[in-house]
Amino acid sequence: MSDTPSKAQASPQGDVKTDLQAGLKAGTLDELYAESEHWQVNAGGETIHAKRLPGRWRRIKWLAASVWLIFFLGPYVRWDGRQAVLFDIPNRQYHLFGATVLPQDFWMLSLLLLFFAILLAVATALAGRVYCGFFCFQTVWTDIFTLIEEWLEGDPRQRRAFDRAPLSLYKVRVKSVKHLLWVLIGFATGWSFVAWFYGALPLWRDFFTGQANSAVYAFVALFTAGTYLLAGWLREQVCFWLCPYARIQGVMLDRTTLVPAYDLTRGEPRGRLRKGQDVIAGQQGDCIDCNQCVAVCPTGIDIRAGQQEGCITCALCLDACDQVMDKINRPRGLIRYASLDELEGQRVRPMLLRARVWLYVGILVLSVLGIGYGFSTLVSIELNVLHERSPLFVELSDGSIQNKYTLKVLNKSNDDLQARIAVSSPVPIEVRGIEHDLRIRHGEVTPMMVFIRIEREHLTGESIPIFFTADATLPDGTEARAERESAFFAPEP
Amino acid sequence: MADENPFPGENNTGHFWDDNIRELRNPPPRWWMIAFWLSIAWWVLYGLLYPMWPTPPWKLEQTEQQHTRGMLGWTSIQEYKQGMEQVEQVRGQYEERIAQLSADEILADPGLLQYTIASSKVVFGDYCAACHGSGGQGNPGYPVLADNDWLWGGSLGKITETITGGRKGNMIGHQNILSEQEVDTLAQFAVDLSEGREASDEAWTLFNNKGCSGCHGPDATGVLGTLPTGDVITVGAANLTDRLWRFRPGGFESAKHTILYGVNQSGVEQTRDAVMPKFGGAGSAEGRLDENQIKKLAVYVHELGGGL
Ligand code: SF4
Ligand code: SF4
């Protein structure tokens, strides 16, 4: 049931009519109904021209969408004289502020992907397609594209008329400006995308002089065309018919999921409000069938028909209906974020008391902790020790036993380093191969061979622990150290 | 069916299920049709640009399937060759330097050494591993390459010499020359020296008088002399004073066998076989490896762990 205390419910029915009448300014209703004439099932046959209304959710939507500014501005953030975040694919290293991540650290990427996948699933289970409605690039870019359309061609009614109007010089001019702007935004999108990988400054330098490689031009062209086509032409058709995520989200909703919903019990029976005509008490619900909720819907659906696949949870219909409710002096929230349970009057558990929510939070926290651990333990050098297997050991002339090891030293810092290798063991050993420091180039693995000999009388068993360490001094004076334990194998005594 | 169409005038196909579920004749959206025709156009274009359409063999003897060549002239074999060329280019720089440097100089250059070891692994696997084991661990009858016992010398130069020219050991069988008692004494002599015990004077005398020291050296180490370069002069005779046995498992019986029947004696049935084939001299019937390969292989063998 409605959670908003309704003044109308408390007052005698006679007052309702008075309230309704009093709330209407002359002409308002006619305007609303005039707009409502245009509606059809959205099968892609006709372009949806959604009406833009200011409101609470509209503001939230802008706020959420502005997160995408990071995408455009991010490549210009500098850190330590370098682009702060740079996915340097040719050199297979990823700079995230001070840290450099090499392919070896990619388990963190898995955790990051897990985090976002779970986050998406959690968000869907808790509040439906909120990602679609507020963050998705398809939604956001389409929103910007249609905003441009509105500036140039006017409101939805004018736009439809303009589309039908015969070709004229004026029409060609307006349309070409629109498409040019769309293409420009598409270009900026492709450009910014590539900048994350190529480096923003080199891109400015190389792109227009024709010095960037063909992959750069191909990607920018692809993104420009893609953005123009998807956000300019396909728009909500992507959310309806193309997006794979939209397909799977349907099964992730349940009775407790909050989605924009039309309060059937309060709204029905809907009926048009006519000036001077009495509303018969108890025969009409709060919905005055003004179709405002449909007019503003960017996917062109009628939320009053219930939750459906086309709804991207953008809540714009909430703004629209709330404004109508204000006008007719009824409480807001005829369309509101509500769960099926709530609408059907079932007991609704607060979110924080639901086991599922805590399970989700648990997984999210764990993966964040994992990533945090990964970053805090990022070391500059890494050491791996491979023990030779054939032969496992070699007997030498004097009866001592020799083992062969291949050390692989990985330099994850940004500078070439000199690594000092040291070996220790509980028994006396003779080491060959570590006399000189090992030059390790940054971002590379450098192998080296080490031979260890143990005199016959010092062999304490078939396997003796051996400890390897690699030390290097970074240019800023800090010491990096990597340690590995391996074993020395000997024949049965 | 059409007669009982409960939805007359509706654009349906006349197929009904459960009273009211029916199939409509709605056309696909326009963008969908555009994409459909674009994909077909793309397919045709692709077929024109790249090899695609099969054509029947033109000549009878031609069994191979023919196909259109495509306007871009692209072929997979050409792409493969280009890829190989790139690899050769990268290797070329190393190979060139290896050709110019001596084996000792390669050993002193860590980067080149890594390349040499990595690229020799395959050659070693092809030509050497069958006898000497994949890691140089040896096999019964074939010496271990990873230890530091070298009958013919373990310096880079000596190893190169061995690979290039091959080696053939030679020790006469003493079954008709020595008495049973003398054979036992000499075998025990070899075992004693190998285990670090003092050998009896009687044994030493026998060793010298019977001419063993002529090959195994006056001190039984297998070395006849040392050159100023550090290289040793040997005839490939075993060092009797170290713990390693040329013919494993070694020990008294094994030593006796070698003394009785010798090494590589033609006509002696139980003689020991010890022949290293010749790999060098490219162009000759035996020459299977070129100079660069031998140089690299020598470095590789040297670095198996026992190079001197
Ligand atoms: S029905 Fe409402 S919430 Fe859903 S897409 Fe349309 S406007 Fe957005
Ligand atoms: S739900 Fe609200 S906006 Fe939609 S038609 Fe009814 S009154 Fe109008």
Side-chain angles (χ1 to χ4, degrees):
Chain A
M1 281 289 166
S2 164
D3 56 355
T4 326
S6 164
K7 190 179 146 210
Q9 276 163 3
S11 55
Q13 287 299 331
D15 286 346
V16 176
K17 187 192 76 190
T18 337
D19 282 352
L20 285 172
Q21 300 285 350
L24 290 172
K25 289 193 211 91
T28 323
L29 257 187
D30 294 333
E31 258 173 45
L32 292 182
Y33 286 131
E35 277 172 359
S36 80
E37 294 310 322
H38 188 91
W39 190 69
Q40 84 289 330
V41 175
N42 181 4
E46 200 174 324
T47 314
I48 299 293
H49 286 296
K51 183 179 173 181
R52 274 171 186 277
L53 283 178
R56 182 155 75 108
W57 292 101
R58 180 79 244 180
R59 270 199 306 281
I60 294 176
K61 199 169 148 72
W62 277 125
L63 263 162
S66 65
V67 170
W68 280 99
L69 284 176
I70 296 173
F71 172 77
F72 289 99
L73 302 178
Y76 300 99
V77 178
R78 316 286 296 169
W79 189 272
D80 269 353
R82 207 187 37 220
Q83 184 162 323
V85 179
L86 178 67
F87 305 100
D88 188 352
I89 288 180
N91 293 318
R92 297 206 293 160
Q93 44 191 357
Y94 307 91
H95 302 292
L96 301 169
F97 295 90
T100 299
V101 182
L102 292 182
Q104 284 79 3
D105 300 311
F106 259 33
W107 58 273
M108 285 194 285
L109 181 73
S110 332
L111 280 185
L112 195 70
L113 291 179
L114 174 77
F115 175 80
F116 281 115
I118 298 287
L119 188 67
L120 208 61
V122 174
T124 306
L126 299 184
R129 289 173 74 176
V130 274
Y131 168 75
C132 299
F134 293 90
F135 286 106
C136 177
F137 36 83
Q138 178 64 24
T139 310
V140 172
W141 263 247
T142 303
D143 201 42
I144 303 292
F145 275 37
T146 50
L147 181 68
I148 292 174
E149 201 168 60
E150 179 140 328
W151 284 340
L152 292 167
E153 300 176 8
D155 65 29
R157 233 185 318 171
Q158 290 167 319
R159 255 136 75 192
R160 281 186 209 104
F162 191 57
D163 282 346
R164 278 193 302 271
L167 209 61
S168 68
L169 209 61
Y170 173 72
K171 187 170 173 175
V172 170
R173 210 176 61 219
V174 169
K175 290 268 178 201
S176 18
V177 170
K178 179 179 83 177
H179 289 287
L180 188 75
L181 284 176
W182 284 1
V183 169
L184 275 177
I185 292 179
F187 180 77
T189 308
W191 173 277
S192 302
F193 180 82
V194 171
W196 289 95
F197 296 88
Y198 196 86
L201 302 185
L203 189 61
W204 278 107
R205 192 184 60 216
D206 297 344
F207 191 85
F208 296 107
T209 51
Q211 281 170 17
N213 59 36
S214 51
V216 167
Y217 293 106
F219 264 100
V220 173
L222 215 68
F223 267 78
T224 310
T227 311
Y228 172 73
L229 205 70
L230 292 175
W233 290 93
L234 286 176
R235 299 186 182 181
E236 82 290 343
Q237 298 299 316
V238 174
C239 316
F240 257 119
W241 315 112
L242 281 185
C243 176
Y245 182 50
R247 312 280 108 185
I248 55 170
Q249 273 172 319
V251 297
M252 293 156 88
L253 307 187
D254 64 11
R255 301 187 57 87
T256 62
T257 306
L258 284 174
V259 283
Y262 169 69
D263 192 339
L264 211 67
T265 30
R266 193 185 133 189
E268 299 295 316
R270 69 182 81 145
R272 295 207 158 191
L273 208 57
R274 303 228 184 278
K275 257 187 293 179
Q277 190 183 309
D278 279 354
V279 173
I280 301 158
Q283 280 195 356
Q284 193 168 336
D286 277 355
C287 176
I288 58 165
D289 206 13
C290 62
N291 263 4
Q292 281 298 292
C293 49
V294 178
V296 297
C297 178
T299 61
I301 60 168
D302 186 349
I303 193 63
R304 291 171 302 167
Q307 173 62 26
Q308 50 201 287
E309 70 164 334
C311 178
I312 56 169
T313 318
C314 66
L316 293 180
C317 53
L318 273 67
D319 277 346
C321 191
D322 281 352
Q323 286 178 26
V324 173
M325 292 300 116
D326 288 352
K327 281 183 184 129
I328 62 172
N329 263 345
R330 305 289 300 152
R332 292 177 163 208
L334 175 55
I335 304 180
R336 64 179 184 276
Y337 264 104
S339 65
L340 195 59
D341 274 349
E342 184 190 329
L343 288 178
E344 289 183 356
Q346 314 260 358
R347 201 169 62 92
V348 180
R349 243 172 207 276
M351 244 187 226
L352 293 185
L353 287 183
R354 277 147 63 182
R356 198 160 73 149
V357 173
W358 285 108
L359 187 71
Y360 289 146
V361 169
I363 300 177
L364 289 178
V365 167
L366 277 182
S367 53
V368 167
L369 284 181
I371 298 166
Y373 170 80
F375 265 102
S376 63
T377 55
L378 268 186
V379 285
S380 304
I381 56 176
E382 216 170 77
L383 175 67
N384 266 306
V385 178
L386 307 172
H387 187 283
E388 177 70 43
R389 288 169 170 278
S390 70
L392 208 52
F393 53 80
V394 173
E395 185 176 13
L396 299 178
S397 314
D398 61 355
S400 61
I401 300 296
Q402 174 170 284
N403 279 202
K404 178 180 171 186
Y405 303 82
T406 305
L407 307 193
K408 301 213 162 177
V409 190
L410 167 67
N411 178 355
K412 301 205 279 183
S413 77
N414 298 314
D415 309 277
D416 293 353
L417 297 175
Q418 296 286 121
R420 299 176 296 277
I421 308 292
V423 189
S424 67
S425 156
V427 301
I429 52 175
E430 189 191 322
V431 189
R432 194 155 63 84
I434 59 168
E435 301 77 21
H436 302 290
D437 287 352
L438 183 69
R439 212 176 99 81
I440 39 177
R441 285 174 46 77
H442 72 97
E444 283 182 16
V445 177
T446 311
M448 70 183 289
M449 277 188 319
V450 174
F451 295 99
I452 296 179
R453 280 181 200 184
I454 300 187
E455 304 279 341
R456 190 156 275 266
E457 67 260 32
H458 293 135
L459 291 173
T460 49
E462 281 177 60
S463 168
I464 299 166
I466 301 279
F467 306 95
F468 291 87
T469 54
D471 286 278
T473 312
L474 297 175
D476 62 3
T478 54
E479 291 289 327
R481 158 171 283 221
E483 296 172 316
R484 265 297 147 165
E485 184 182 341
S486 187
F488 184 96
F489 294 102
E492 274 178 67
Chain B
M1 250 193 181
D3 324 330
E4 352 172 326
N5 193 338
F7 305 96
E10 190 188 56
N11 191 17
N12 64 42
T13 56
H15 297 151
F16 297 92
W17 301 269
D18 294 344
D19 291 343
N20 59 359
I21 298 179
R22 68 265 188 207
E23 191 181 354
L24 300 184
R25 289 184 203 278
N26 286 342
R30 194 155 54 105
W31 66 263
W32 194 92
M33 289 308 292
I34 294 174
F36 176 70
W37 288 113
L38 276 181
S39 358
I40 290 184
W42 165 251
W43 173 66
V44 172
L45 186 74
Y46 192 89
L48 289 176
L49 293 178
Y50 288 97
M52 177 172 181
W53 309 99
T55 56
W58 299 117
K59 295 188 195 125
L60 265 183
E61 64 268 27
Q62 209 168 345
T63 48
E64 216 181 303
Q65 180 75 53
Q66 297 296 296
H67 56 80
T68 55
R69 302 269 159 228
M71 277 149 56
L72 291 184
W74 177 92
T75 63
S76 51
I77 188 74
Q78 191 184 316
E79 192 174 80
Y80 164 77
K81 280 179 182 158
Q82 278 167 0
M84 281 310 288
E85 247 167 55
Q86 277 173 6
V87 173
E88 290 300 333
Q89 259 176 20
V90 174
R91 285 193 191 155
Q93 302 165 2
Y94 286 108
E95 293 292 337
E96 229 167 79
R97 279 181 60 211
I98 287 173
Q100 286 159 6
L101 298 178
S102 72
D104 288 286
E105 285 166 322
I106 296 172
L107 202 60
D109 180 332
L112 209 53
L113 180 62
Q114 273 161 35
Y115 169 83
T116 305
I117 287 173
S119 68
S120 309
K121 223 173 215 157
V122 180
V123 184
F124 187 86
D126 285 352
Y127 295 103
C128 320
C131 295
H132 293 289
S134 58
Q137 71 269 41
N139 270 319
Y142 301 97
V144 177
L145 300 182
D147 65 21
N148 59 349
D149 179 31
W150 300 90
L151 301 192
W152 304 93
S155 66
L156 276 169
K158 286 290 176 186
I159 295 174
T160 309
E161 206 178 287
T162 304
I163 301 172
T164 311
R167 298 289 187 186
K168 189 173 181 193
N170 186 18
M171 167 165 167
I172 52 164
H174 293 75
Q175 69 200 103
N176 303 321
I177 304 169
L178 297 177
S179 71
E180 212 168 294
Q181 175 65 43
E182 286 168 327
V183 171
D184 283 353
T185 307
L186 286 173
Q188 190 56 47
F189 171 75
V191 171
D192 284 345
L193 288 186
S194 137
E195 276 161 19
R197 284 190 293 272
E198 284 292 323
S200 63
D201 286 347
E202 176 206 0
W204 273 112
T205 318
L206 198 61
F207 174 76
N208 282 317
N209 289 350
K210 293 295 174 182
C212 307
S213 56
C215 293
H216 289 282
D219 52 0
T221 56
V223 175
L224 299 178
T226 307
L227 294 173
T229 56
D231 266 347
V232 289
I233 304 168
T234 79
V235 292
N239 177 356
L240 303 179
T241 64
D242 69 9
R243 289 187 57 100
L244 303 177
W245 295 86
R246 167 64 183 85
F247 299 104
R248 284 177 289 165
F252 184 73
E253 288 304 322
S254 180
K256 244 175 91 178
H257 184 108
T258 312
I259 296 167
L260 284 173
Y261 308 109
V263 178
N264 290 330
Q265 294 305 295
S266 57
V268 180
E269 217 170 86
Q270 295 182 62
T271 193
R272 300 279 197 189
D273 278 327
V275 178
M276 159 87 181
K278 170 180 167 158
F279 285 91
S284 75
E286 294 159 295
R288 279 171 283 190
L289 299 174
D290 63 33
E291 217 173 295
N292 247 21
Q293 278 174 313
I294 290 177
K295 200 188 281 178
K296 281 159 56 175
L297 211 47
V299 172
Y300 181 82
V301 170
H302 186 268
E303 286 305 285
L304 281 175
L308 299 173

